């Protein structure tokens, strides 16, 4: 055992590079069997619960659940990119899940070197967070040289962050990186104040320092929750994006159109005001709401569905309009990239059937809609989820919104 | 009433003499450690766990209790191990005073030295230890004691139940990237003291649990504020600051 | 893979690097290492050569399923005219090209090549090519912002011998005195300037992509036997247009074809390390291919066809809604006419700039047909109906188009600096 002072030596050194050799890994047979042996052994020996190799929620419910921890991240100043406003948030590389049909595909980082890079994109004028896959593209540079190949981050949902674009971006060493983000024109149907907007793309560039201080901040800031709540039905509350990881949170209602404009705010103090993609509360939707027999909003796959029939002549259609707003429980995060189909039956005969169109509205956010030519009280309405939301998931959302049973409702007296 | 047999037999000097069963486990762990660390699709957290063992122990006034802080980590995503680790423990009772903190075998490795710094602050009932493997090599992974904490039970202690918590913890991979950490605490029952069962079953701050939701199935009307304290993170920073001062 | 195969692979990877580097040094390194036996000489008799420059299929090998096996090494030379083309220049160009034909047998064991002319070239002449719509290249998706090829001509050299493509390139610019034993009398250097920065190179062949995993952007997970970076076979007979289908049938350029070259960077980290094999199959072929295991590890279960039945092609929109993913091949096949593909792909892998990519070289009768296929591949019509603009919408998420160029590849008789309306003799 020695004691000495290694002074600043570590500060100068760059992180060592580790390149994964998956072929090598895969060739080591019997790994799974080994894992079982280890787990069993530990449990037997110390009499306490086995310590998992990767602490995780065992057997989570097929519902939104409380994850193991609260993520910490560095929030950078919002930027304008054409009509879009975006804020980037940086954390450490961590697992997430892709969705393939009704299955999930876990994604794990290859290396601890790098960042989990996230973007919230919104319309500053209306405060609407853009919850859709629109092909945001990122390119990294360091000292003017490209780093890796460009990438299109995934559309993701997380309990703390709501809808965002994100991906693990491997970096080989500490340094200052420049990121160019390109956003294409918005491909989705837009209504209200968003109609006719976002027809052009936008581009923004920012820099970040990947260094020890950053790692301290985002890894050191991780908060593990009491293990008693892991995996219970519930969710983390949305985070408030106070800038630069400072722990000052302001409790104001931060997800609506407060019209704040922080651009040009270069006064050194970071106060990134990033909206959270919460949909309006169910009660804020006009029209005749379709509820279950016991008067509740219908649910499927742990998502809550607000279904409302708007009167003819609304700004959505000349006829009556069916507006369907699926959202996560607790945090009201919109569920994008679903395929929904509606069928109306009267006396056992189908009177209308067809797909709903995904639409982004400044007032009602992301929803799925369709004009109803012929609807009467007493009609049986069946909403079928042909494809569950294909958005990627952070921990706590990956088991929900996958197996989604059809919703059957009776149309009440129409207002 | 005495201490538990395990606590009695675990003395700092005996750390290198690990129990046979634990040894056996360790062998299995080392054999398969690298392999399972790199098998993809576990989708768990990359985190180092620190826990106090045993997690419950009985002690009499005037006695000395020795607890182990066990560290468990699979290392980084690309298989690299931990090169240095630090932790701070604290007790919540005057009845239990830390008197020593010593390194365990976790970071010890063949052909490498261990740089150790420790501090015991009896006044504040806390102690910390930092250890660094030199050279770091591939670092350490697995599950083994990383420190031993010796606590003195005050001779005049009233029956009580004291918590020994890990208030700061840090694990740095040999790639010099920090690992996230989580901790579990232990309880020392002094002179037959029972824990006050004021366990709060409510939601932790910043978490909404389903049972707290209105039963209508409707979504909540308001987004609750965000006001949790980053307790662990803050204490880790405190630890870092203390560590820096000793240099 | 046997040791012998591995040794062979490392030799081929070395040669690949030589082609990418180019120049006299690379050529001599290549000649030392290649172990090439004699490369067969060509001919002086133009009548024995096909009238179509793009008539390669007849001389390329085929696999057991009748799929054409593309040459292993490729170079694209970007050429800019030094001045307005003269009759003398035409003779220089024709003679220079004939030197290549004399030196190397027409085929993969010798050399195949084409010369194409750009929109910019015909602009320079003041008249568009007669009977051919050759638009200036533009962006073909909302997301891309490509550089466009604005030089005059593009030479595509291809061979199984790295030394043949390198030596041919050197000969075209008078850097060597002999080519495969043939004396080089004339070269292009008085007529054209090489756009060195736009020189593009590449390779196709099982094992070659996986030999590039030393590059940071090429993950180790690239399958060992894959001929293309995306990890699967491609260029199935059934999904390729015939040479007849892509040949211009009328006007003075009858017998020629149009060529679109898009150069793209591939995002392979995400493709191989985040998506699962089943997702890759679904996104590249169709979800049914994934669900029914039709493809195999690298496409070995597919014979001469990508397995795109008309039902699977018609199911595209349905797959988006019901399955949440559509395949790239499935989408693009929607542009087929009477079940026949419109494009003849001669694309190849690249690591130009040390990042993995694809030079997507495609021949078709009209450039407009390329645009139609690309539009079908964009799948904009499917976005919002179970798949996103990019998400699960084929492989759009992994392709980043950097350059586009459109060319007219005239028939052989007009390949040397053709006027806008050559007279047919």
């Amino acid at each position: 055992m020695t004691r000495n002072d290694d002074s600043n030596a570590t500060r100068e050194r760059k992180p060592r590079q580790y390149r994964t050799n998956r072929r090598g890994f895969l060739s080591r047979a019997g790994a799974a069997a080994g894992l079982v042996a280890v787990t069993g052994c530990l449990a037997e020996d110390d009499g306490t619960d086995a310590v998992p190799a990767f602490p995780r929620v065992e057997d989570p419910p097929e519902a939104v659940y409380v994850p193991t921890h609260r993520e910490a991240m560095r929030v950078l100043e919002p930027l304008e990119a054409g009509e879009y406003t975006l804020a980037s948030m940086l954390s450490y590389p961590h697992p997430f899940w892709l969705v393939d049909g009704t299955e999930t595909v876990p994604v794990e980082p290859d290396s601890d070197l790098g960042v989990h890079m996230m973007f919230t994109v919104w319309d500053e004028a209306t405060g609407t967070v853009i919850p859709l896959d629109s092909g945001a593209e990122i390119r990294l540079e360091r000292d003017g040289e490209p780093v890796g190949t460009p990438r299109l981050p995934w559309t993701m949902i997380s309990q703390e962050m709501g809808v965002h674009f994100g991906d693990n971006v491997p970096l080989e060493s500490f340094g200052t990186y420049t990121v160019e983000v390109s956003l294409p024109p918005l491909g989705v149907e837009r209504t209200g104040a968003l109609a006719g907007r976002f027809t052009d793309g936008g581009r923004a560039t920012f820099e970040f320092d990947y260094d020890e201080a950053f790692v301290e901040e985002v890894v050191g800031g991780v908060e593990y929750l009491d293990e008693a709540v892991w995996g219970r039905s519930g969710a983390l509350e949305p985070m408030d994006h106070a800038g630069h990881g400072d722990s000052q949170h302001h409790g104001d209602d931060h997800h609506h159109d407060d019209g704040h404009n922080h651009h040009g705010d270069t006064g050194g103090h970071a106060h990134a005001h990033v909206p959270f993609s919460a949909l309006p509360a169910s009660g804020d939707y006009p029209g005749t709401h379709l509820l279950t027999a016991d008067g509740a909003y219908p649910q499927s796959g742990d998502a809550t569905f607000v279904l409302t029939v708007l009167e003819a002549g609304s700004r959505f259609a000349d006829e009556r309009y069916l507006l369907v707003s699926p959202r996560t429980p607790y945090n009201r995060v919109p569920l994008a990239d679903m395929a929904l189909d509606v069928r109306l039956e009267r006396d056992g005969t189908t009177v209308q059937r067809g797909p709903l169109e995904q639409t982004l509205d400044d007032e009602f956010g992301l929803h799925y809609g369709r004009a109803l030519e012929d609807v009467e009280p007493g009609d049986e309405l069946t909403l079928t989820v042909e494809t569950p939301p294909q958005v990627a998931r952070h921990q706590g959302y990956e088991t929900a919104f996958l197996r989604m049973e059809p919703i059957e409702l009776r149309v009440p007296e129409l207002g | 009433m005495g201490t538990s047999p395990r606590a009695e037999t675990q003395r700092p000097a005996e750390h290198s003499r690990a129990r046979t069963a634990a040894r056996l486990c360790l062998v299995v762990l080392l054999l398969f450690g690298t392999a399972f660390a790199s098998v993809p699709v576990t989708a768990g957290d990359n985190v180092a766990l620190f826990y106090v063992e045993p997690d419950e122990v009985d002690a009499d006034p005037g006695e000395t209790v020795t607890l182990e802080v066990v560290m468990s980590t699979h290392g980084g995503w690309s298989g690299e191990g931990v090169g240095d680790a630090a932790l701070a423990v604290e007790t919540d009772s005057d009845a239990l005073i830390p008197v020593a903190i010593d390194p365990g075998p976790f970071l010890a490795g063949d052909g490498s030295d261990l740089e150790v710094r420790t501090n015991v602050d009896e006044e504040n009932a806390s102690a910390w230890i930092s250890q660094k493997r030199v050279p770091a090599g591939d670092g350490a992974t697995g599950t083994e004691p990383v420190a031993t904490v010796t606590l003195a039970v005050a001779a005049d202690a009233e029956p009580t139940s004291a918590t020994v918590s890990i208030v700061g913890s840090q694990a740095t991979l040999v790639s010099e990237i920090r690992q996230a950490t989580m901790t579990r605490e232990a309880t020392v029952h002094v002179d037959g003291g029972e824990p006050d069962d004021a366990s709060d079953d409510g939601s932790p701050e910043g978490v909404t649990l389903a049972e707290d939701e209105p039963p209508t199935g409707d979504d909540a009307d308001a987004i609750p504020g965000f006001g949790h304290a980053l307790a662990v993170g803050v204490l880790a920073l405190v630890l870092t600051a203390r560590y820096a001062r000793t240099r | 893979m046997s040791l012998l195969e591995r040794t062979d692979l490392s030799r081929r990877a070395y040669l690949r690097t030589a082609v990418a580097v180019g120049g006299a040094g690379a050529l001599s390194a290549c000649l030392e290492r290649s172990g090439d036996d004699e490369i067969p000489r060509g001919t002086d008799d133009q009548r024995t050569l096909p009238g179509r420059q793009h008539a390669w299929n007849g001389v390329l090998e085929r696999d057991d399923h009748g799929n054409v096996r593309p040459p292993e090494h490729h170079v694209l030379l970007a050429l800019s005219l030094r001045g307005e083309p003269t009759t003398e220049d035409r003779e220089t160009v024709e003679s220079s090209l004939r030197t290549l034909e004399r030196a190397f047998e027409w085929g993969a064991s010798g050399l195949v090549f084409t010369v194409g002319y750009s929109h910019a070239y015909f602009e320079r002449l003041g008249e568009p090519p007669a009977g051919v719509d050759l638009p200036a290249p533009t962006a073909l998706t909302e997301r891309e912002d490509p550089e466009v090829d604005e030089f005059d001509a593009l030479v595509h050299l291809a061979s199984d011998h790295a030394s043949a493509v390198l030596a041919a390139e050197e000969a075209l610019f008078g850097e060597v005195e002999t080519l495969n034993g043939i004396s080089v009398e004339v070269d292009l250097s008085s007529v054209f300037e090489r756009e060195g920065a736009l020189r593009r190179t590449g390779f196709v062949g099982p094992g070659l992509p996986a030999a590039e995993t030393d590059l940071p952007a090429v993950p180790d997970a690239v399958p060992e036997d894959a001929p293309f970076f995306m990890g699967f076979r491609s260029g199935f007979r059934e999904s390729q247009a015939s040479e007849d289908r892509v040949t211009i049938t009328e006007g003075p350029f009858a017998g020629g074809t149009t060529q679109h070259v898009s150069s793209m960077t591939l995002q392979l980290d995400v493709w191989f390390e985040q998506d699962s094999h089943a997702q890759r199959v679904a996104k590249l072929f169709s979800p049914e291919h994934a669900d029914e295991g039709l493809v195999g590890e690298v496409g070995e279960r597919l014979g001469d066809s990508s397995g795109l039945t008309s039902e699977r092609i018609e199911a595209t929109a349905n797959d988006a809604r019901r399955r949440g993913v559509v395949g790239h091949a499935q989408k693009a096949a929607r542009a087929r006419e009477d079940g026949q593909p419109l494009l003849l792909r001669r694309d190849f892998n690249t690591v130009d700039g040390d990042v993995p990519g694809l030079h997507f070289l495609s021949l078709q009768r009209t450039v407009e047909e390329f645009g139609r296929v690309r539009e079908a591949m964009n799948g904009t019509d499917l976005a919002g109906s179970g798949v996103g603009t990019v998400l699960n919408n084929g492989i759009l998420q992994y392709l980043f188009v950097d350059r586009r160029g459109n060319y007219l590849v005239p028939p052989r008789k007009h390949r040397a600096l053709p006027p806008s309306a050559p007279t047919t003799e």
Side-chain angles (χ1 to χ4, degrees):
Chain A
M1 225 175 271
T2 63
R3 286 167 197 243
N4 63 21
D5 193 326
D6 58 354
S7 69
N8 290 328
T10 51
R11 201 154 303 164
E12 301 297 325
R13 256 180 292 144
K14 287 176 177 172
R16 263 173 55 183
Q17 294 183 16
Y18 284 84
R19 191 125 190 263
T20 318
N21 185 337
R22 282 193 187 263
R23 280 197 194 113
F25 293 162
L26 294 173
S27 66
R28 281 183 210 122
L35 181 57
V36 172
V38 168
T39 312
C41 197
L42 283 171
E44 198 175 316
D45 175 56
D46 53 22
T48 62
D49 294 339
V51 179
F54 293 82
R56 58 189 287 203
V57 174
E58 296 296 334
D59 208 10
E62 286 195 3
V64 175
Y65 71 87
V66 180
T68 52
H69 64 286
R70 190 189 309 279
E71 203 173 319
M73 66 199 70
R74 179 179 285 184
V75 182
L76 305 185
E77 277 293 281
L79 300 164
E80 279 183 32
E83 280 190 273
Y84 298 98
T85 305
L86 67 91
S88 52
M89 285 144 285
L90 304 170
S91 187
Y92 55 92
H94 61 66
F96 59 89
W97 286 261
L98 304 178
V99 176
D100 177 14
T102 57
E103 305 294 321
T104 52
V105 178
V107 171
E108 291 193 342
D110 251 2
S111 163
D112 298 273
L113 292 178
V115 293
H116 185 76
M117 190 178 284
M118 300 173 272
F119 302 94
T120 294
V121 180
W122 72 95
D123 172 33
E124 187 73 32
T126 64
T128 309
V129 173
I130 311 290
L132 299 157
D133 148 62
S134 59
E137 176 177 322
I138 55 172
R139 290 173 187 259
L140 265 73
E141 280 189 0
R142 187 182 175 197
D143 301 329
E145 292 295 317
V147 174
T149 47
R151 52 176 70 217
L152 291 173
W154 305 96
T155 310
M156 293 202 200
I157 50 174
S158 90
Q159 295 171 5
E160 291 172 277
M161 310 274 310
V163 173
H164 62 280
F165 303 91
D167 201 354
N168 289 331
V169 178
L171 301 172
E172 295 209 335
S173 56
F174 286 152
T176 300
Y177 291 85
T178 306
V179 184
E180 184 187 83
V181 190
S182 309
L183 297 164
L186 205 47
V188 70
E189 175 72 17
R190 280 143 286 164
T191 52
L194 298 176
R197 298 191 51 220
F198 299 101
T199 52
D200 294 315
R203 189 170 290 189
T205 302
F206 66 94
E207 275 189 358
F208 71 93
D209 291 323
Y210 178 57
D211 54 17
E212 277 178 67
F214 167 79
V215 176
E216 287 290 332
E217 182 181 319
V218 299
V219 177
V222 176
E223 184 201 1
Y224 271 81
L225 303 172
D226 185 336
E227 289 167 68
V229 297
W230 290 14
R232 283 169 70 178
S233 286
L236 298 172
E237 289 169 9
M239 77 177 282
D240 188 8
H241 303 282
H244 288 229
D246 77 18
S247 50
Q248 292 179 9
H249 305 293
H250 47 104
D252 59 346
D253 183 2
H254 50 266
H255 53 273
H256 282 304
D257 42 328
D258 61 5
H260 285 180
N261 188 329
H262 297 285
H263 305 304
D265 180 3
T266 52
H269 77 285
H271 181 80
H273 189 117
V274 183
F276 182 83
S277 56
L279 290 167
S282 50
D284 292 346
Y285 287 78
T288 305
H289 290 208
L290 274 60
L291 304 175
T292 61
D294 48 5
Y297 285 92
Q299 291 186 305
S300 178
D302 208 31
T304 302
F305 282 72
V306 175
L307 286 90
T308 178
V309 176
L310 305 186
E311 285 183 41
S314 73
R315 58 192 174 82
F316 297 102
D318 294 337
E319 306 93 336
R320 290 185 193 272
Y321 181 78
L322 175 67
L323 185 154
V324 178
S325 173
R327 71 267 310 279
T328 68
Y330 320 111
N331 297 352
R332 307 201 310 258
V333 174
L335 295 171
D337 291 328
M338 303 172 81
L340 296 177
D341 182 270
V342 68
R343 187 173 68 198
L344 270 179
E345 283 172 298
R346 190 173 306 146
D347 307 324
T349 310
T350 300
V351 290
Q352 189 180 350
R353 172 169 204 168
L356 302 185
E357 180 162 25
Q358 179 161 252
T359 304
L360 188 61
D361 184 71
D362 63 309
E363 190 180 357
F364 305 120
L366 178 94
H367 67 273
Y368 300 80
R370 185 181 176 98
L372 296 179
E373 293 117 29
D374 177 17
V375 57
E376 288 179 7
D379 288 353
E380 301 256 9
L381 183 146
T382 306
L383 183 75
T384 307
V385 179
E386 293 186 287
T387 298
Q390 296 294 295
V391 292
R393 325 286 181 83
H394 278 216
Q395 194 190 43
Y397 274 161
E398 82 280 13
T399 51
F401 328 127
L402 291 173
R403 278 159 284 282
M404 303 182 79
E405 294 302 316
I407 290 171
E408 293 173 9
L409 300 164
R410 190 168 293 277
V411 176
E413 284 301 321
L414 293 165
Chain B
M1 171 146 290
T3 56
S4 78
R6 182 176 298 170
E8 267 178 340
T9 56
Q10 292 290 298
R11 295 282 179 258
E14 293 171 332
H15 270 156
S16 58
R17 189 179 62 78
R19 295 182 306 278
T20 317
R23 237 326 123 75
L24 193 65
C25 267
L26 183 63
V27 170
V28 179
L29 193 69
L30 290 176
L31 274 176
F32 294 100
T34 329
F36 82 73
S38 38
V39 170
V41 305
T42 55
D45 292 348
N46 179 3
V47 61
L49 169 64
F50 293 80
Y51 60 95
V52 182
E53 194 183 76
D55 60 353
E56 223 166 323
V57 65
D58 297 326
D60 291 331
E63 197 181 0
T64 300
V65 182
T66 302
L67 300 174
E68 283 180 334
V69 178
V70 179
M71 181 170 170
S72 176
T73 174
H74 56 81
W77 290 115
S78 42
E80 74 274 32
V82 169
D84 60 272
L87 64 101
V89 295
E90 203 172 80
T91 70
D92 66 350
S93 164
D94 292 341
L96 211 54
I97 308 298
V99 292
I101 188 162
D102 296 287
F106 182 85
L107 278 174
D110 283 344
S112 52
D113 291 325
L114 208 54
E115 290 174 12
V116 179
R117 291 187 189 82
T118 61
N119 183 54
V120 177
D121 182 349
E122 296 185 15
E123 206 165 300
N124 291 307
S126 68
W128 61 258
I129 181 168
S130 80
Q131 303 173 63
K132 183 181 177 109
R133 182 196 276 208
V134 182
D138 292 337
T141 57
T143 301
E144 259 203 295
V146 68
T148 306
V149 185
T150 309
L151 302 153
V153 183
D156 56 352
E158 299 285 317
T160 184
S161 185
T163 303
V164 181
S165 328
I166 299 165
V167 292
S169 56
Q170 187 170 307
T172 307
L173 300 166
V174 294
S175 55
E176 294 180 18
I177 297 293
R178 270 189 60 176
Q179 246 194 322
T181 60
M182 57 176 281
T183 61
R184 289 177 187 160
E185 59 192 25
T187 308
V188 179
H189 302 287
V190 174
D191 199 17
E194 287 299 318
D196 16 330
D197 249 348
S199 56
D200 50 327
D201 276 335
S203 305
E205 212 173 344
V207 174
T208 312
L209 291 176
E211 51 260 48
D212 302 337
E213 282 281 289
T216 61
D218 191 0
D219 46 326
D221 271 6
I223 301 292
F226 180 84
H228 73 283
L230 295 169
V232 174
V234 169
L235 285 162
L237 287 176
V238 169
L239 177 74
T240 312
R242 283 180 184 170
Y243 181 66
R245 271 204 303 274
T246 65
R247 294 190 169 202
Chain C
M1 201 177 272
S2 73
L3 182 63
L4 196 64
E5 284 169 322
R6 267 182 218 286
T7 312
D8 178 56
L9 192 60
S10 105
R11 183 186 64 86
R12 286 158 66 207
Y14 178 87
L15 297 173
R16 193 286 298 157
T17 309
V19 172
V21 172
L27 176 57
S28 66
C30 180
L31 287 169
E32 274 170 32
R33 180 78 186 265
S34 66
D36 285 342
D37 297 332
E38 275 185 24
I39 300 178
R41 291 258 176 84
T43 176
D44 207 8
D45 184 355
Q46 284 287 304
R47 288 169 306 177
T48 64
L49 294 166
R52 298 170 181 173
Q53 290 196 74
H54 59 285
W56 295 10
N57 287 0
V59 293
L60 297 180
E61 284 177 24
R62 288 173 188 263
D63 67 16
D64 296 344
H65 302 288
N67 302 306
V68 170
R69 189 181 65 74
E72 187 161 313
H73 300 285
H74 298 255
V75 173
L76 294 174
L77 298 177
L79 307 179
S80 290
L81 280 169
R82 289 182 183 277
E84 299 311 304
T86 63
T87 309
E88 195 188 341
D89 289 343
R90 290 198 170 95
E91 285 165 7
T92 303
V93 170
E94 182 59 29
S95 304
S96 306
L97 298 175
R98 287 188 184 194
T99 303
L100 304 188
E101 285 160 349
R102 277 207 303 280
F104 296 115
E105 183 182 274
W106 183 254
S109 55
L111 179 76
V112 285
F113 63 91
T114 60
V115 187
Y117 295 90
S118 68
H119 176 85
Y121 169 82
F122 289 101
E123 287 244 298
R124 184 193 277 275
L125 300 186
E127 285 282 337
V132 179
D133 187 20
L134 184 66
T138 56
L140 295 179
T141 68
E142 284 187 325
R143 181 164 78 73
E144 69 186 37
D145 184 18
E147 305 279 326
V148 294
D149 290 354
E150 284 174 330
F151 44 84
D152 295 296
L154 185 77
V155 175
H156 178 194
L157 302 168
S159 171
D160 282 346
H161 297 287
S163 64
V165 290
L166 281 173
E169 179 183 359
E170 293 300 285
L172 282 176
F173 282 85
E175 308 282 353
V176 288
E177 290 178 0
T178 61
L179 181 63
N180 205 22
I182 299 291
S183 154
V184 178
E185 310 282 346
V186 188
D187 67 76
L188 298 177
S189 54
S190 63
V191 181
F192 284 115
E193 232 173 323
R194 269 191 280 189
E195 300 284 345
L198 300 178
R199 181 179 184 274
R200 285 173 273 186
T201 68
F203 52 93
V204 186
L208 290 177
E212 301 296 339
T213 50
D214 286 346
L215 295 173
V218 181
D220 293 331
V222 173
E224 289 201 358
D225 295 327
F228 286 95
F229 270 129
M230 297 299 276
F232 296 93
R233 288 171 57 211
S234 150
F236 299 98
R237 190 178 55 154
E238 161 273 347
S239 52
Q240 289 275 54
S242 66
E243 285 177 353
D244 283 347
R245 179 63 186 80
V246 304
T247 300
I248 297 166
T249 52
E250 286 170 12
F253 289 107
T257 186
T258 73
Q259 185 185 52
H260 180 86
V261 184
S262 36
S263 292
M264 56 191 82
T265 301
L266 301 176
Q267 170 45 268
L268 298 179
D269 293 340
V270 176
W271 177 246
F272 282 110
E273 296 184 347
Q274 297 191 3
D275 285 284
S276 64
H277 183 265
Q279 279 178 300
R280 288 195 289 276
V281 170
K283 290 178 180 182
L284 202 49
F285 296 95
S286 84
E288 204 179 4
H289 281 75
D291 295 344
E292 297 186 6
L294 301 177
V295 173
E297 187 60 30
V298 297
E300 68 278 5
R301 287 192 199 147
L302 299 165
D304 69 341
S305 152
S306 54
L308 286 171
T309 58
S310 54
E311 291 77 26
R312 287 191 185 117
I313 298 166
E314 280 161 23
T316 306
N318 219 18
D319 283 347
R321 287 198 71 80
R322 301 269 161 78
R323 190 55 176 66
V325 60
V326 293
H328 159 75
Q330 174 186 34
K331 265 191 302 179
R334 296 182 300 164
R336 288 181 183 181
E337 272 184 13
D338 304 325
Q340 297 303 308
L342 302 179
L343 310 187
L344 173 53
R345 292 174 51 173
R346 290 197 172 139
D347 50 314
F348 46 93
N349 305 295
T350 187
V351 288
D352 288 346
D354 286 343
V355 291
L358 188 70
H359 294 307
F360 191 93
L361 190 157
S362 156
L363 305 177
Q364 53 283 317
R365 188 171 289 156
T366 66
V367 173
E368 182 272 330
E369 288 172 329
F370 181 84
R372 253 193 282 159
V373 176
R374 177 68 212 205
E375 198 182 319
M377 171 191 156
N378 289 346
T380 315
D381 54 316
L382 305 166
S385 301
V387 300
T389 324
V390 170
L391 180 72
N392 294 348
N393 197 336
I395 54 173
L396 299 173
Q397 191 174 355
Y398 314 93
L399 309 181
F400 297 83
V401 177
D402 302 315
R403 291 197 77 84
R404 289 191 182 279
N406 293 326
Y407 299 92
L408 166 62
V409 178
R412 186 179 302 273
K413 63 188 173 192
H414 297 314
R415 66 182 171 175
L417 301 176
S420 295
T423 47
T424 312
E425 60 267 39

